[in-house]
Amino acid sequence: MPSRYFNYKRPAFPKTVCTGLSLILLSASMQSYALTIEQAWDAAKAYDPNYQKAQISEKIGEANVRSSRSELLPELSLGASSDWDWHEHGQYSNGYNVTLNQVLWDSSKWSKLDAAEASALESQLRGQQAHNDLAEKLITAYLDLAKTQGDLRLAEQKRKESAKMLNVIEQNYKAGKVMSTEFEDTRANQLDIEATLLARHSDLEQKKADLAALISHFPQQVDEISTKNLTQPQMVVEDQGEWLTLAKNNSPELLAAKQKLRSVEFKQEQAQSGYYPTVTGRVMYSDNDKARNDDLSANISLNLPLDLNGATRANVDLAKLDVMQAKQDVRLVEINIKQLIQSRFNQIDLDWQRVEMAQRQISSREKALESKQMVYKAGLAEASDVITAHNNLFDSRNLLQSLLYQYWLHRVELLKSVGQLNDDAVKQISRALQS
């Protein structure tokens, strides 16, 4: 509810209006430039280098699988030759050959294929994680800008109302109706508000730059969270245990860490395959001008490696250490996700309770300001009492706004932990915003 200004009647202030005409015109002119969170999200996906790199990594993983699989498939080669023999009076002979090679058994190549497939799946999960991370960065930057924009709007409104208050007291002071202390207190309060306004402008430009770094262009204005008709949005699941289960099954970070563990386990198998024999087969057909008959040959070769220099053993030991590290990475992600869910799940309900309390505080502060105005009008209070009540009201409005953004940022963190920061989540947040 907008505060009321004073009508001066020995002494008094003019009656309050909601906002100044210039503020209304400014708001109307900026609405056409408001960047929605969905537009910002689309721009971030198209622009962010890390997100693009993650998509490229997925394609690299698929190419590595094809490359590893090709090493197990038959290999066909064609050859041709032309010989000139000086001792045979310069006779020429032409020949050609066709060779087919096939790996019959090579554990290292099969392990390499398994590792490549595991790495490709890990790249896909990393791509989902990059999607999740980018969504959190974009939403956080957008909401931070929206909050700062709202802080500036409230500071502008507070400055305009305080300026009218200062003007009335100055006129009263010149007329000898109030003491100089009241005038100086009001003027000092106005300077404090002007300083706060400059700080809000500075913060706004910084937040615009933060969002611009994600979407490649400088936003003029963004939508803000509405502080009217507040209703707590429904959660994805309502039980903490269900959140933990959801994270276990859907968190891209956790799934990628587990898939990386599988990948390094396959690489350990690949290192151990250095101890195993390999079997290859070859079929070759050749013919030339001098030969009476075509030549068709086939052979099978067996290779039994001997680790005399300890290279295979060293590779196996390194692979085992990589497996141990990957297991600890999985544990670390599980611990972090569990801690985040436990803290944010309980905190979100408290956040909303604080939002509801802040609403009641605003209503109480508005009544307190009206009471101070009436008492001042009757000559039973000083201007400093009204100034304090006025400042308290705007502090409560700022607090409500801050708590709302904090509530949504905590929800974003919770959704990220379970891999639910998708297009639907962005749409849900957009419904809480208004131009």
mmCIF file of all heavy atoms in Angstrom, residues 58-73 112-113 116-117 120:
data_model
loop_
_atom_site.group_PDB
_atom_site.id
_atom_site.type_symbol
_atom_site.label_atom_id
_atom_site.label_comp_id
_atom_site.label_asym_id
_atom_site.label_seq_id
_atom_site.Cartn_x
_atom_site.Cartn_y
_atom_site.Cartn_z
ATOM 1 N N GLU A 58 29.894 -33.994 -26.598
ATOM 2 C CA GLU A 58 29.009 -35.128 -26.868
ATOM 3 C C GLU A 58 29.304 -35.719 -28.249
ATOM 4 O O GLU A 58 29.371 -36.944 -28.411
ATOM 5 C CB GLU A 58 27.552 -34.680 -26.785
ATOM 6 C CG GLU A 58 27.094 -34.306 -25.386
ATOM 7 C CD GLU A 58 25.618 -33.974 -25.354
ATOM 8 O OE1 GLU A 58 24.840 -34.637 -26.065
ATOM 9 O OE2 GLU A 58 25.230 -33.045 -24.612
ATOM 10 N N LYS A 59 29.500 -34.854 -29.228
ATOM 11 C CA LYS A 59 29.798 -35.339 -30.576
ATOM 12 C C LYS A 59 31.171 -36.009 -30.631
ATOM 13 O O LYS A 59 31.361 -36.997 -31.353
ATOM 14 C CB LYS A 59 29.716 -34.185 -31.573
ATOM 15 C CG LYS A 59 28.323 -33.576 -31.677
ATOM 16 C CD LYS A 59 28.296 -32.412 -32.654
ATOM 17 C CE LYS A 59 26.906 -31.806 -32.733
ATOM 18 N NZ LYS A 59 26.858 -30.643 -33.666
ATOM 19 N N ILE A 60 32.129 -35.462 -29.866
ATOM 20 C CA ILE A 60 33.452 -36.081 -29.807
ATOM 21 C C ILE A 60 33.356 -37.475 -29.207
ATOM 22 O O ILE A 60 34.010 -38.420 -29.675
ATOM 23 C CB ILE A 60 34.415 -35.196 -28.989
ATOM 24 C CG1 ILE A 60 34.707 -33.888 -29.743
ATOM 25 C CG2 ILE A 60 35.724 -35.930 -28.702
ATOM 26 C CD1 ILE A 60 35.538 -32.903 -28.955
ATOM 27 N N GLY A 61 32.550 -37.616 -28.171
ATOM 28 C CA GLY A 61 32.359 -38.926 -27.562
ATOM 29 C C GLY A 61 31.776 -39.936 -28.534
ATOM 30 O O GLY A 61 32.210 -41.103 -28.584
ATOM 31 N N GLU A 62 30.809 -39.501 -29.336
ATOM 32 C CA GLU A 62 30.222 -40.396 -30.340
ATOM 33 C C GLU A 62 31.253 -40.777 -31.394
ATOM 34 O O GLU A 62 31.304 -41.936 -31.839
ATOM 35 C CB GLU A 62 29.025 -39.711 -30.991
ATOM 36 C CG GLU A 62 27.861 -39.456 -30.025
ATOM 37 C CD GLU A 62 26.787 -38.600 -30.653
ATOM 38 O OE1 GLU A 62 26.977 -38.175 -31.822
ATOM 39 O OE2 GLU A 62 25.763 -38.339 -29.986
ATOM 40 N N ALA A 63 32.096 -39.828 -31.795
ATOM 41 C CA ALA A 63 33.134 -40.118 -32.785
ATOM 42 C C ALA A 63 34.168 -41.098 -32.227
ATOM 43 O O ALA A 63 34.660 -41.972 -32.954
ATOM 44 C CB ALA A 63 33.817 -38.822 -33.223
ATOM 45 N N ASN A 64 34.505 -40.971 -30.942
ATOM 46 C CA ASN A 64 35.452 -41.905 -30.328
ATOM 47 C C ASN A 64 34.896 -43.321 -30.291
ATOM 48 O O ASN A 64 35.643 -44.294 -30.448
ATOM 49 C CB ASN A 64 35.802 -41.438 -28.908
ATOM 50 C CG ASN A 64 36.744 -40.252 -28.895
ATOM 51 O OD1 ASN A 64 37.524 -40.066 -29.833
ATOM 52 N ND2 ASN A 64 36.681 -39.447 -27.849
ATOM 53 N N VAL A 65 33.604 -43.457 -30.088
ATOM 54 C CA VAL A 65 32.987 -44.794 -30.107
ATOM 55 C C VAL A 65 33.103 -45.410 -31.497
ATOM 56 O O VAL A 65 33.468 -46.581 -31.649
ATOM 57 C CB VAL A 65 31.506 -44.709 -29.673
ATOM 58 C CG1 VAL A 65 30.800 -46.046 -29.907
ATOM 59 C CG2 VAL A 65 31.405 -44.323 -28.203
ATOM 60 N N ARG A 66 32.805 -44.625 -32.516
ATOM 61 C CA ARG A 66 32.919 -45.145 -33.887
ATOM 62 C C ARG A 66 34.356 -45.522 -34.199
ATOM 63 O O ARG A 66 34.618 -46.547 -34.852
ATOM 64 C CB ARG A 66 32.415 -44.101 -34.883
ATOM 65 C CG ARG A 66 30.914 -43.834 -34.780
ATOM 66 C CD ARG A 66 30.410 -43.084 -36.002
ATOM 67 N NE ARG A 66 31.085 -41.797 -36.164
ATOM 68 C CZ ARG A 66 30.646 -40.659 -35.649
ATOM 69 N NH1 ARG A 66 29.555 -40.650 -34.910
ATOM 70 N NH2 ARG A 66 31.297 -39.524 -35.861
ATOM 71 N N SER A 67 35.313 -44.710 -33.743
ATOM 72 C CA SER A 67 36.715 -45.010 -33.994
ATOM 73 C C SER A 67 37.144 -46.299 -33.300
ATOM 74 O O SER A 67 37.844 -47.132 -33.884
ATOM 75 C CB SER A 67 37.580 -43.840 -33.524
ATOM 76 O OG SER A 67 38.955 -44.127 -33.673
ATOM 77 N N SER A 68 36.710 -46.468 -32.043
ATOM 78 C CA SER A 68 37.090 -47.679 -31.303
ATOM 79 C C SER A 68 36.423 -48.912 -31.886
ATOM 80 O O SER A 68 37.037 -49.988 -31.946
ATOM 81 C CB SER A 68 36.695 -47.522 -29.821
ATOM 82 O OG SER A 68 37.357 -46.434 -29.238
ATOM 83 N N ARG A 69 35.193 -48.771 -32.346
ATOM 84 C CA ARG A 69 34.499 -49.916 -32.923
ATOM 85 C C ARG A 69 35.139 -50.335 -34.241
ATOM 86 O O ARG A 69 35.187 -51.538 -34.576
ATOM 87 C CB ARG A 69 33.024 -49.573 -33.130
ATOM 88 C CG ARG A 69 32.183 -50.752 -33.614
ATOM 89 C CD ARG A 69 30.723 -50.383 -33.767
ATOM 90 N NE ARG A 69 30.094 -50.146 -32.481
ATOM 91 C CZ ARG A 69 29.597 -48.998 -32.086
ATOM 92 N NH1 ARG A 69 29.672 -47.936 -32.892
ATOM 93 N NH2 ARG A 69 29.032 -48.858 -30.898
ATOM 94 N N SER A 70 35.654 -49.384 -34.993
ATOM 95 C CA SER A 70 36.246 -49.703 -36.297
ATOM 96 C C SER A 70 37.496 -50.571 -36.156
ATOM 97 O O SER A 70 37.835 -51.318 -37.077
ATOM 98 C CB SER A 70 36.594 -48.409 -37.045
ATOM 99 O OG SER A 70 37.622 -47.704 -36.379
ATOM 100 N N GLU A 71 38.169 -50.501 -35.003
ATOM 101 C CA GLU A 71 39.371 -51.306 -34.810
ATOM 102 C C GLU A 71 39.057 -52.791 -34.663
ATOM 103 O O GLU A 71 39.945 -53.636 -34.779
ATOM 104 C CB GLU A 71 40.135 -50.810 -33.577
ATOM 105 C CG GLU A 71 40.672 -49.400 -33.727
ATOM 106 C CD GLU A 71 41.471 -48.959 -32.509
ATOM 107 O OE1 GLU A 71 41.842 -49.848 -31.699
ATOM 108 O OE2 GLU A 71 41.717 -47.747 -32.357
ATOM 109 N N LEU A 72 37.798 -53.116 -34.396
ATOM 110 C CA LEU A 72 37.386 -54.513 -34.275
ATOM 111 C C LEU A 72 36.793 -55.059 -35.572
ATOM 112 O O LEU A 72 36.503 -56.255 -35.666
ATOM 113 C CB LEU A 72 36.359 -54.650 -33.148
ATOM 114 C CG LEU A 72 36.885 -54.381 -31.734
ATOM 115 C CD1 LEU A 72 35.732 -54.224 -30.756
ATOM 116 C CD2 LEU A 72 37.819 -55.506 -31.295
ATOM 117 N N LEU A 73 36.587 -54.213 -36.536
ATOM 118 C CA LEU A 73 35.991 -54.634 -37.806
ATOM 119 C C LEU A 73 37.086 -55.031 -38.793
ATOM 120 O O LEU A 73 38.254 -54.659 -38.633
ATOM 121 C CB LEU A 73 35.150 -53.485 -38.378
ATOM 122 C CG LEU A 73 33.971 -53.027 -37.505
ATOM 123 C CD1 LEU A 73 33.280 -51.832 -38.140
ATOM 124 C CD2 LEU A 73 32.986 -54.169 -37.266
ATOM 125 N N LYS A 112 38.832 -50.913 -24.857
ATOM 126 C CA LYS A 112 38.852 -49.549 -25.383
ATOM 127 C C LYS A 112 37.474 -49.140 -25.882
ATOM 128 O O LYS A 112 37.031 -48.001 -25.663
ATOM 129 C CB LYS A 112 39.883 -49.447 -26.506
ATOM 130 C CG LYS A 112 40.031 -48.049 -27.082
ATOM 131 C CD LYS A 112 41.085 -48.010 -28.176
ATOM 132 C CE LYS A 112 41.219 -46.606 -28.765
ATOM 133 N NZ LYS A 112 42.235 -46.555 -29.852
ATOM 134 N N LEU A 113 36.782 -50.068 -26.527
ATOM 135 C CA LEU A 113 35.429 -49.781 -27.000
ATOM 136 C C LEU A 113 34.488 -49.552 -25.819
ATOM 137 O O LEU A 113 33.682 -48.608 -25.828
ATOM 138 C CB LEU A 113 34.920 -50.927 -27.869
ATOM 139 C CG LEU A 113 33.467 -50.810 -28.352
ATOM 140 C CD1 LEU A 113 33.265 -49.540 -29.165
ATOM 141 C CD2 LEU A 113 33.067 -52.048 -29.155
ATOM 142 N N ALA A 116 35.216 -46.192 -24.394
ATOM 143 C CA ALA A 116 34.740 -45.117 -25.274
ATOM 144 C C ALA A 116 33.228 -44.936 -25.144
ATOM 145 O O ALA A 116 32.731 -43.805 -25.115
ATOM 146 C CB ALA A 116 35.118 -45.425 -26.722
ATOM 147 N N GLU A 117 32.505 -46.058 -25.054
ATOM 148 C CA GLU A 117 31.047 -45.966 -24.899
ATOM 149 C C GLU A 117 30.693 -45.342 -23.550
ATOM 150 O O GLU A 117 29.766 -44.526 -23.452
ATOM 151 C CB GLU A 117 30.425 -47.346 -25.033
ATOM 152 C CG GLU A 117 30.483 -47.909 -26.453
ATOM 153 C CD GLU A 117 29.955 -49.328 -26.545
ATOM 154 O OE1 GLU A 117 29.901 -49.995 -25.489
ATOM 155 O OE2 GLU A 117 29.601 -49.766 -27.661
ATOM 156 N N ALA A 120 31.406 -41.678 -23.795
ATOM 157 C CA ALA A 120 30.388 -40.980 -24.587
ATOM 158 C C ALA A 120 29.144 -40.706 -23.750
ATOM 159 O O ALA A 120 28.559 -39.614 -23.818
ATOM 160 C CB ALA A 120 30.033 -41.815 -25.817
#
